[in-house]
Amino acid sequence: MSEGNVAYVLDDVSYEVSKFTDEGKIVFARLVEVQQDIQSLTRKIEILQAAAITLNVRVKDQLTEDMKTTVQDAAEAS
């Protein structure tokens, strides 16, 4: 990661990352990685939620009246 002109913003105050200590630069780099992972996982969750909706619709399309049961019947069958 290039440090030139990179800033860490906290409470509307910008801090120049290139002036961080070596440890601070490492921690900042890990923070950036974690935030990227969160964004990636959030996108994956959104895709999985959309897939679940689509799959539920497809299951619903397969249902017929003769498939109906009660919760108690389903519990006894398993």
Side-chain angles (χ1 to χ4, degrees):
M1 178 177 82
S2 171
E3 295 170 5
N5 299 327
V6 175
Y8 174 75
V9 180
L10 178 65
D11 300 328
D12 296 326
V13 178
S14 294
Y15 299 87
E16 193 174 326
V17 173
S18 65
K19 294 181 179 179
F20 285 11
T21 64
D22 288 344
E23 180 183 1
K25 290 174 186 175
I26 291 169
V27 172
F28 179 79
R30 296 300 173 261
L31 175 60
V32 170
E33 288 178 36
V34 167
Q35 290 174 327
Q36 289 171 341
D37 286 348
I38 289 169
Q39 289 175 346
S40 177
L41 291 170
T42 299
R43 282 189 299 271
K44 186 170 185 172
I45 288 169
E46 290 169 353
I47 291 167
L48 291 171
Q49 287 172 329
I53 290 168
T54 300
L55 292 168
N56 273 305
V57 168
R58 291 185 68 185
V59 168
K60 183 180 174 184
D61 290 344
Q62 302 298 312
L63 303 178
T64 62
E65 282 295 315
D66 66 320
M67 293 177 186
K68 285 186 176 181
T69 187
T70 65
V71 174
Q72 184 178 358
D73 289 342
E76 290 172 3
S78 59

